[in-house]
Amino acid sequence: MKRIAALVAVLPIVFAGAAWSKDDPPKDAAKAAAKDPVVAARMAAAAAKPDSTKNKDLQSAITPDAAIKALKEGNTRFTGGKMVKRDLMKQVKETGKGQYPFASVVSCIDSRSGPEMVFDQGIGDMFVARVAGNIVNEDILGSLEFASKVAGSKVIVVLGHTSCGAIKGACDDVKMGNLTALLAKMKPAVASVKETGDRSSKNYAFVEKVAEANVQDTVAAIKAKSPVLKEMADKGEIKIVGAMLDVTTGKVLWY
């Protein structure tokens, strides 16, 4: 009986003229998934595999909550030293003719905060926009609109981090070339934090509070400045969330 059960478990399911193993849904299964909970469950399970290369149907099977869950699980793997062993060149070939990322991340340029690393994701899994201080402007908003509305990404994560040099510069009112205008975009976060003592970068606790406020400001700015993304969020098509990376531990805390 055990041998029979094992055989049944690996038998492909014939669906829409294509063979479907228990791990790989057919490429034309999206419509069927909307009608058949069994098909939907199989697609969701396949999409949740951290080493899977996403196609359009797997991407469509991922909900915003499932996308966040996948990122949280990836960070747990990263901090636990159990990152997935991926065949990156295989993923290069599989994504060469199309990409179907499930998440978009706005992060700082800090060398310790690479989203693909800290969330343990592969090629074709994430759109990433990086700028000092993880702020948004028209260019980044337009990029996020493309990622979500056109390309199908299910979550936008604004990822700040501890010991952020840009935030320290904003706290210290640094003036230098084009950096001056960039840091000005973080000044509202500096002003919003109540601190009667040292309000400079020498006050670690103050800097971290400003960094958190800046993440929250960026999340609010995305919703306020992009009617496209706000409408998608209101309809439950995407989620827009904030998170903070502790650069001393690699752990991401979510808001």
Side-chain angles (χ1 to χ4, degrees):
M1 291 298 292
K2 289 183 178 180
R3 293 181 62 184
I4 294 175
L7 178 61
V8 171
V10 299
L11 284 175
I13 295 174
V14 178
F15 176 78
W20 178 8
S21 75
K22 66 187 181 68
D23 294 325
D24 303 305
K27 294 182 179 180
D28 55 357
K31 292 182 180 179
K35 300 178 181 180
D36 189 333
V38 175
V39 175
R42 283 179 176 268
M43 287 181 65
K49 291 176 61 180
D51 60 344
S52 67
T53 301
K54 306 298 182 291
N55 59 35
K56 185 175 182 179
D57 292 307
L58 291 184
Q59 182 198 55
S60 69
I62 300 175
T63 64
D65 285 335
I68 294 171
K69 182 174 182 288
L71 296 179
K72 289 181 177 180
E73 291 175 346
N75 183 243
T76 297
R77 292 193 301 272
F78 174 70
T79 57
K82 298 179 179 179
M83 297 175 73
V84 172
K85 293 182 179 180
R86 296 178 172 85
D87 186 338
L88 296 179
M89 286 312 301
K90 179 174 181 287
Q91 290 192 320
V92 167
K93 294 176 181 178
E94 291 174 337
T95 59
K97 294 183 179 180
Q99 60 171 337
Y100 301 96
F102 70 91
S104 303
V105 180
V106 178
S107 71
C108 185
I109 63 169
D110 191 283
S111 64
R112 301 162 292 181
S113 64
E116 295 92 340
M117 291 288 290
V118 301
F119 290 127
D120 187 25
Q121 298 300 314
I123 293 173
D125 286 337
M126 302 169 64
F127 287 109
V128 178
R130 302 190 68 173
V131 59
N134 41 269
I135 53 88
V136 291
N137 57 16
E138 285 185 349
D139 303 313
I140 294 178
L141 288 171
S143 299
L144 293 174
E145 289 173 353
F146 167 80
S148 300
K149 190 68 174 181
V150 179
S153 175
K154 300 302 179 66
V155 63
I156 296 172
V157 180
V158 178
L159 180 65
H161 67 92
T162 59
S163 300
C164 179
I167 293 298
K168 290 178 181 179
C171 292
D172 292 342
D173 196 26
V174 169
K175 308 288 186 183
M176 186 187 75
N178 290 304
L179 183 62
T180 303
L182 175 61
L183 297 182
K185 294 179 173 65
M186 303 166 214
K187 290 295 183 68
V190 176
S192 71
V193 175
K194 296 180 180 180
E195 173 60 59
T196 57
D198 186 356
R199 295 180 62 87
S200 76
S201 62
K202 295 179 180 180
N203 185 342
Y204 178 84
F206 175 64
V207 170
E208 301 319 302
K209 289 178 182 178
V210 173
E212 293 174 5
N214 185 59
V215 167
Q216 294 167 352
D217 284 354
T218 302
V219 169
I222 292 172
K223 296 176 181 178
K225 297 180 179 180
S226 173
V228 172
L229 296 174
K230 184 179 185 303
E231 180 181 28
M232 292 184 74
D234 290 344
K235 290 181 177 180
E237 297 171 349
I238 63 170
K239 282 196 172 181
I240 306 171
V241 299
M244 279 286 292
L245 167 69
D246 187 331
V247 297
T248 67
T249 65
K251 186 175 182 179
V252 173
L253 301 177
W254 297 78
Y255 300 140

